[in-house]
Amino acid sequence: MKHFFQTIWSKWKLVFLPVLIKWGIPGAGAVALMDSSTIPVPMDALIAVWVWKDQNHFWAYCLMAAVGSAIGGLLPYAIGRAGGELFILKRVNRERYERMKLRFEKQEFLAMAIPSALPPPTPWKAFVFAAGVFEMRVLPFMLAVFTGRLVRWLVLSVLVIKLGPGAVGVVQHHALTVLLVVGGIAMAGFAIWWRRKRKSGEIPEHPLRG
């Protein structure tokens, strides 16, 4: 069995991945889908190479990769939704589980968007798994992943155009700064969303009043 998976991995790296990379913009979506669903791929490095070679279409690579990542994330999300609750309850008691679920539900969009925007070694699939366990709705989940990934790769693309492909290392070595920038953008987006909901009446001005 081990030999089988080693063979598959070898073929993926030597045959399938180079083919997908040559597809250009559609390839960015396909590789991101594989990265998010099953096979880990150094997406930041690939995005940097694509953008450096085709700077005029940097936005298209970022957009397609973000779409692919949002779709690919549905697999670990579905695994978490199918049996993740039992998995977690074997490790924590019910009371703690409910507290974790409540915290997640209060800020589920940010809880998924921010990790999606952060560079490695952020344990992104763990957050995706948790989104499935806590039954985050599919469309908000995909939108959060798409938003986070798009912000991440747009920021990376701007750095690549300014600094060259070595910008990948800059991002990884300044992950805290990236976290603060992304967190600020996410909070601003959430504030805009909240104001719009308040104005439309979907969120009451005094939700605690009966």
Side-chain angles (χ1 to χ4, degrees):
M1 183 62 71
K2 182 179 179 180
H3 176 71
F4 171 77
F5 283 111
Q6 288 177 340
T7 302
I8 294 296
W9 176 243
S10 178
K11 288 184 177 180
W12 160 253
K13 290 194 299 182
L14 299 177
V15 180
F16 298 114
L17 185 57
V19 170
L20 294 176
I21 291 174
K22 290 181 180 179
W23 284 2
I25 295 172
V31 174
L33 189 152
M34 296 296 294
D35 175 57
S36 294
S37 60
T38 51
I39 305 173
V41 177
M43 277 303 299
D44 287 355
L46 293 179
I47 291 290
V49 172
W50 278 316
V51 169
W52 183 249
K53 290 183 177 180
D54 189 9
Q55 297 183 17
N56 291 332
H57 298 97
F58 74 92
W59 58 271
Y61 289 98
C62 297
L63 184 66
M64 189 61 72
V67 170
S69 190
I71 296 172
L74 289 174
L75 180 59
Y77 167 89
I79 294 173
R81 189 148 188 168
E85 181 175 349
L86 293 177
F87 177 84
I88 293 180
L89 285 174
K90 288 181 179 179
R91 290 157 177 78
V92 301
N93 59 41
R94 171 61 69 173
E95 183 179 355
R96 184 180 177 189
Y97 170 84
E98 294 297 336
R99 289 200 304 268
M100 293 166 58
K101 183 177 181 180
L102 182 61
R103 285 198 299 267
F104 184 89
E105 289 176 344
K106 285 182 176 179
Q107 298 181 347
E108 61 179 15
F109 185 87
L110 293 180
M112 197 63 251
I114 291 178
S116 298
L118 295 178
T122 305
W124 181 76
K125 284 189 173 68
F127 288 94
V128 175
F129 183 80
V133 172
F134 298 138
E135 299 181 348
M136 183 177 182
R137 288 175 297 162
V138 173
L139 288 181
F141 164 79
M142 295 183 70
L143 181 60
V145 173
F146 171 81
T147 302
R149 290 303 208 209
L150 184 61
V151 169
R152 166 180 165 180
W153 287 324
L154 284 175
V155 171
L156 175 62
S157 296
V158 172
L159 292 175
V160 167
I161 293 172
K162 296 293 184 181
L163 306 176
V168 175
V170 174
V171 171
Q172 292 180 348
H173 284 95
H174 295 83
L176 180 58
T177 302
V178 174
L179 171 62
L180 294 176
V181 171
V182 171
I185 294 173
M187 290 300 294
F190 181 76
I192 293 172
W193 173 85
W194 182 268
R195 283 186 179 182
R196 288 179 177 176
K197 292 292 185 181
R198 287 279 294 274
K199 287 183 179 180
S200 67
E202 293 182 46
I203 297 177
E205 292 189 10
H206 304 287
L208 295 181
R209 293 183 181 178

